[in-house]
Every structure is written in C-alpha cells, then in structure tokens.
Amino acid sequence: MAGMVLFGRRWAIASDDLFFPGLFELFLRVLWWLGILALYLRYRGKLDCARGVLLGNYMVVLLVLLAVIVCTMLAIVCVSMRGTICNPGPRKSMSTLLYIRLALFLPEIVWASLGAMWVAEGTQCDKVVVSAIIATVVVSWVIIGFTVVIIMVVFDPLGGKVARYSSAGPSLAFNPEASQFVGGLKTAATSVWEKRMKLLCCCVERDDQAHMAFSSTAELFSTYFSDTDLVPSDLVAGLTLLHQQQDSVRRNQAPTEVVSHSPGPSQKDDLDAELENCRHYMPIAAAAYGWPLYIYRNPFTGLCRIGGDCCRSRTTEYDVVGGDQLHCHFGSILRMTGLQHRDFIHISFHDKVYELPFLVVLDHKKESVVVAVRGTMSLQDILTDLSAESENLDLGCEVQDCLAHKGISQAAKYLYRRLVTDGILSQAFSVAPEYRLVIIGHSLGAGAAALLALMLRGAYPHVRCYAFSPPRGLLSKSLYEYSKDFTVSLVVGKDVVPRLSVTNMEDLKKKILRLIAHCNKPKYKILLHGCWYGLFGGSPDDLPTELDGDDHRDLTLPLLGEQSLLTHKSPGYRPNDSPLGSPTKYPPLYPPGRIIHLEEEGPSGRCSCYTAQYTAKWAHESEFSEILIGGKMLTDHMPDVLIRALDRVSNRDACISCPTPGGSA
C-alpha cells in the first residue's frame, strides 16, 4: 500500500509493516516489565538506604510507563495484522497509535535521563538494584537510538510532495495540472537518486564518465519507481507471491508436445562441440576475476597458495606480461587456467566506470588468441551495468537499428581502443599469426565481449565469442540476429542476469502490482509463508485468492499518476503508459547470439549439498523474457556454478543434445 502519512509527509513504511518490529519490541518490553516488577517486589523492603525512596519511586513510575507502552505496542501489533496490503481501511487507527507511541518517548527519555543522573551521583543501595537501574537506563537509550535510526531509514525526501499528491485523491489524475506536477516530482526524484548514488559510491573517482553514470542510474531508478506508491516490504511480499505463483504454474503446466523428429546429426554435433568449447573457455573467463574468485572457490587453502605471490616482488617472469595492477592476481590466474607465464600477452586490472579489466592470452590447445573480460566486481562495474539507456553502435555494416546497452557499449569501446589502438592484438598475432580470435566473458564481461566481437568482426571475420551468463538487455533485435553467426551464450538454470532488462523489470513490476492488489491475506502472513516456502518448500498452490465482493472498494491506488481500474473491478487493468515504455530511451533489447540453456534435472535442491545434474539444449531468446523468482536465481549466475554445471553435463553418457520437455527450469 502507499506509505503512511505522518506529520504531513509520506514515509517509506506502511501501516502493516509494524507487525514484526512491534512484536519484537512488545516481547522486549514485557520481559523488561516483568524483570522490574520482580526486582521491585523482592527489594522494596531493602530500599532504606540513601536515595532508596527515590529509586523505589523510579521503579514504580517505570512500571507504569512500561505498562502503558506495552498496551500501546499490543494495539499497534493487533491493528497491523488487519486488512491486506492494498486494503488499509481496517488499519486507519494506526496513525493515532503511532502518535501516542511517539509521544511516550518523551517521558521515557526524561526518565532515562533522570535514572542516568541518579546512578551517576552514586548510591549506597543494594548492588543488584543499582545494576538493574543501570541496565534499565542502557536499554532505554538503546531503544531510543534504534528508533531514531529507523526514522532516518524510512524518511522519504520526497514525502512532503507525495503526501500532497496523495491527498488530492484520484481526481488529480484528470486534472490538467497533473502531468506538470508528476513531471516535477520525477525531476526531484532524479535529483534525490543521484545524491543517493553519489553517497553510496563515495569512493568512486569523480570524472566525466562517473558523472554520466550517476545521471543515467538516477534517471533509471527515478523513472522506474516514479509511478509506484509502494514501500520496500510491499515489493518483498510481491516477489514472494510471484515465486509461489510461478512454481504453481510450472507444476500444473501440461507437458509440451514432444517434437516428432530427432535432432539431426549436425545439430547434435554442433551442440556437443559448442558445449566442449564452453567447458574449455569458462575457466579462462572466470580467471579474469583474479584472486577474489580463487579464494572464494578455495576458502581454506586459496590464501596460502597465492599469499606468496602477493608479497613477492615482481620477477622477470612477470616482465614478459604487459599490463597494470597485477598484484596478487597473476598467481591465481595461472592456477585457474593451468597456463604458463609465456602464454599471457597482456593482463589489466585497471577498473573505472565504463573501463573493465581484461586479459589476453594465447591458447595453444584451441589455437586461438583469447580476450577474456571481467564481469561485475566493483562499484564502478555496477554503475556501468545501471547505465541502461540505449545508444547507436557504428559497426560499418549493413545491419539496421544498431542499438545496444549504453554502459556496456562504452565499456566495449574502451576495450576496442586498448586492443586495437594500443596494439595489444597486433602483438598477440605477431606471436601466433595463424591463430583465430576468441572473445569471452562472464556477466557484464559477457555483454562487453559480445559487443567487442561485433566491433572487431570487420577486421577479424573469423572471430568467435562465448558469452557466459550475459545480460538480456544488450542488443537490438537486428544485432541479436546478426550475432548468431559468431556468438554463443550459455545460461544455467534460473539465472536472473540473462533475463534482466529494463522491459523485463517493468513487466515484473506490473506482475507484482497485480498480485498484491488482489491478495486477500495480510502482509505478515505472506512473508511468514514465503520464508517457510523458501526454506522448506511446500505446496505452491496455496496462494492468496482474488479479493471478494466489496473488498475492492478500499483498494489504494497501486500506481501514481493514474486512477486504479481495480477500484472498478475492471479486468482490463493494463497500465501501458509506463514511463519505461519510451521506444527511444529504453527499447526492448535481447541477449547475444545463439543460446545454450543448461536446465537442472528434477526438483531444485534447497541446500548446497544437493548435487544437480543438467541437460543442455538450444534455447530461443523468448524463453528468457520473464524473470524467474527462486532461491537459485542468484547462485546460478556464479562462475563456479557454471563450471560445475558444464562438468556435470559433459561427463554424462546420456544424449545431452536432445530437447527437453517443459519450459524454463
């Protein structure tokens, strides 16, 4: 639902968000009250010491104050349990209760200050009583400090403007001034998001590229969230519901019709050959991450193995490798790839916004010059990822509509300058002129590798690209089709990144809005059931049903700037005027090349000890047009998971080229 309006401004917290924090404080206050009561009943006859009467009165007043706070918190918890996410009517008394609770902080602060003063002045009473008073004062100030932190977290810088917008009601949607007001709100939101990003990325060097990335990221976030009036917990509840809904749909889905003909020998051989190439090149792509990934994969022995490389001065063996900022990376790269010092042409761990680390190596087994681009591993890389506008690529070919992800395109142009202008590729091919060029990468590096292959296609017609877990929002449709001739992408399971694009995120937002708008259970039940389902499983069919009868009348507006058609029970709720629908700034983008999908066989394991087996198939890009919610949506993206998945596919005797029934795993 919309954030609560208190003191004339909107806050990033809803009236049904107070169940868990309220329950925790209620539990703490009850224990506190019982402890003080037991202490008073036991020692009230022993307070004949100096200031004993004062301490006795202190505990009596504290008991009364705690009792009032306990009653208030009990009411807050009970009210927070009422209604649903989009039906806050039963919780309309929450604002009054919060005003009362906040008012109670004043006597609590005064009493905690007096207690601290009395204890500081010293007393000759029983040490147990004095220790209890000290503990009471400390706990009081801890709770007060914790409350101040929460207030800072839920503070919405745009709360005053949003509150005025909300108070105008649905009629503002038909007001001629609505567009101007919403436009001003979006401008203010962009400024706020830019300040947030600069604060979070305070250690990032502030150059022109960084400022451009900050602006792009701020505009993306402000545009994406500008038409929603939801708090963070609403999104978590919506993702929980969507996870169960997707699992329910897949469980109840009828098996797809099996293709009547078997794949031809050429198709089988092609898939098997490409899987072998992926299995060969993936360790090199993973090595581009350097020592952090090596230690992650070898947590107990990795530091000992490469520790000497970090402390040892640069030897003559390192001098044969061009590059910068090698530090501890070279030793881990050698161990992950199994290559020799002399095989490396250039290694760079220079890392800035739009400038990615990479390495160039001679692969004698495959007779290729391999360029491996590192994926996301720094704040600079995240800013590159989030620069999600589209820009034109000048490829000098006949392909029309050459659009690509702006941040990744800028990174690919940087790599092109380093490799071509600085003569790194020329140096590599002077050593091995008969070798072919292969460009690889993982995650962000996969996207940059795919665009780099497009740029180098004219000079190196036989270039090949292997993109491991590339982002979906990368290429226009025409470039996607063009890249199929020389690019292969590999996706494992439910990996979220190959399904991640601005258009897919917009679709995800719409699904979440519809689910929470039609949910007939309170938020705390959704979250509790979602945690249980995520940890221990269960039946995904036990979903909240559609709202019944007159429950629709109290629905709040799920989107700012438009009147909710749900209020009128319209089945045609389609907010197509989304700000992300701009065909010029955020057009639909696609993953690169042909796609190999490694699907997990059987039910997904919920613990790390589960040993997954995979089948491989050629997949169409449309199979990745929806973000799948699940426990493995992040872990399936990790480089070590890709390496293990490829090993478990390649080592099986079954036909790995046969198409598998069903949809995406």
Side-chain angles (χ1 to χ4, degrees), residues 32-293:
W32 188 0
W33 186 85
L34 292 175
I36 296 297
L37 179 62
L39 185 72
Y40 177 75
L41 293 177
R42 181 173 180 179
Y43 290 96
R44 62 180 176 178
K46 300 180 181 180
L47 296 176
D48 52 355
C49 54
R51 295 182 178 269
V53 176
L54 194 61
L55 290 179
N57 293 334
Y58 179 86
M59 285 191 287
V60 171
V61 175
L62 183 61
L63 284 171
V64 174
L65 181 60
L66 285 176
V68 176
I69 293 176
V70 165
C71 293
T72 305
M73 293 307 304
L74 182 61
I76 288 175
V77 171
C78 292
V79 172
S80 184
M81 296 169 65
R82 299 175 182 172
T84 62
I85 295 178
C86 286
N87 180 23
R91 301 189 298 272
K92 59 184 178 182
S93 59
M94 182 62 76
S95 298
T96 303
L97 291 173
L98 283 179
Y99 285 132
I100 295 173
R101 178 64 190 94
L102 292 174
L104 289 173
F105 274 113
L106 182 60
E108 188 173 10
I109 292 174
V110 172
W111 216 238
S113 301
L114 289 175
M117 182 181 63
W118 292 334
V119 170
E121 290 178 355
T123 179
Q124 302 299 319
C125 293
D126 191 287
K127 292 184 178 180
V128 175
V129 178
V130 176
S131 299
I133 298 302
I134 294 175
T136 295
V137 172
V138 171
V139 172
S140 296
W141 283 111
V142 168
I143 292 179
I144 292 169
F146 186 68
T147 303
V148 172
V149 171
I150 291 179
I151 291 174
M152 295 174 62
V153 170
V154 301
F155 177 79
D156 186 354
L158 301 175
K161 295 183 179 181
V162 176
R164 291 195 298 272
Y165 181 89
S166 301
S167 63
S171 59
L172 184 60
F174 305 102
N175 193 309
E177 299 179 357
S179 298
Q180 182 178 358
F181 181 87
V182 173
L185 191 62
K186 292 177 181 178
T187 301
T190 301
S191 177
V192 169
W193 276 108
E194 186 165 355
K195 292 177 181 177
R196 289 172 176 171
M197 295 305 302
K198 289 181 178 179
L199 180 63
L200 290 173
C201 304
C202 57
C203 58
V204 174
E205 182 181 347
R206 304 296 176 86
D207 54 12
D208 292 340
Q209 290 182 329
H211 286 297
M212 182 167 59
F214 284 135
S215 299
S216 298
T217 303
E219 187 169 357
L220 174 66
F221 280 122
S222 62
T223 304
Y224 187 77
F225 292 108
S226 63
D227 63 342
T228 62
D229 194 12
L230 301 176
V231 298
S233 62
D234 294 336
L235 300 178
V236 175
L239 290 173
T240 299
L241 293 173
L242 184 59
H243 178 201
Q244 298 174 61
Q245 184 190 63
Q246 290 177 343
D247 285 356
S248 177
V249 170
R250 282 194 296 273
R251 177 174 293 189
N252 298 324
Q253 186 177 16
T256 56
E257 184 178 353
V258 179
V259 180
S260 58
H261 62 277
S262 300
S266 61
Q267 184 180 355
K268 288 183 180 181
D269 294 342
D270 186 32
L271 179 57
D272 293 338
E274 296 296 4
L275 277 172
E276 173 58 29
N277 288 333
C278 289
R279 190 180 67 83
H280 175 79
Y281 288 119
M282 182 59 212
I284 303 178
Y289 285 95
W291 66 263
L293 181 62

Side-chain angles (χ1 to χ4, degrees), residues 250 491-495 499 596-617 623-624 628 630-637 641-642 644-646 648-649 652 660-665:
R250 282 194 296 273
V491 179
V492 173
K494 292 185 177 181
D495 188 353
R499 298 173 170 87
I596 298 176
H597 189 198
L598 303 186
E599 294 182 301
E600 188 174 337
E601 292 182 335
S604 291
R606 297 179 183 272
C607 61
S608 58
C609 60
Y610 176 79
T611 303
Q613 295 292 339
Y614 295 87
T615 55
K617 70 168 186 176
E623 298 183 37
F624 306 95
L628 301 181
K632 293 192 173 184
M633 61 186 295
L634 298 178
T635 57
D636 281 346
H637 185 67
V641 173
L642 268 72
R644 288 199 301 267
L646 284 166
R648 288 169 186 166
V649 168
R652 298 181 63 235
T660 57
S664 303

Side-chain angles (χ1 to χ4, degrees), residues 418-482:
R418 292 296 310 274
L419 294 171
V420 176
T421 306
D422 294 352
I424 297 175
L425 282 184
S426 299
Q427 178 186 353
F429 282 105
S430 67
V431 177
E434 71 281 5
Y435 284 12
R436 68 171 182 172
L437 178 62
V438 176
I439 307 175
I440 61 176
H442 171 261
S443 189
L444 169 63
L451 292 183
L452 181 61
L454 286 168
M455 296 176 182
L456 293 172
R457 173 80 163 161
Y460 300 91
H462 301 293
V463 63
R464 297 287 297 174
C465 175
Y466 290 93
F468 302 99
S469 302
R472 175 177 175 83
L474 184 66
L475 304 171
S476 61
K477 186 73 171 180
S478 57
L479 283 181
Y480 156 68
E481 295 291 345
Y482 176 66

Side-chain angles (χ1 to χ4, degrees), residues 208-210 212-213 216 352-356 383-385 387-393 404-418 444 447-448 451-452 455 474:
D208 292 340
Q209 290 182 329
M212 182 167 59
S216 298
K352 288 180 63 177
V353 178
Y354 302 151
E355 298 179 5
L356 302 180
L383 289 173
T384 301
D385 286 318
S387 299
E389 304 101 317
S390 297
E391 69 174 16
N392 281 299
L393 283 180
H405 183 288
K406 175 182 175 181
I408 303 178
S409 173
Q410 291 292 322
K413 291 176 181 177
Y414 160 77
L415 294 170
Y416 182 89
R417 290 193 299 271
R418 292 296 310 274
L444 169 63
L451 292 183
L452 181 61
M455 296 176 182
L474 184 66

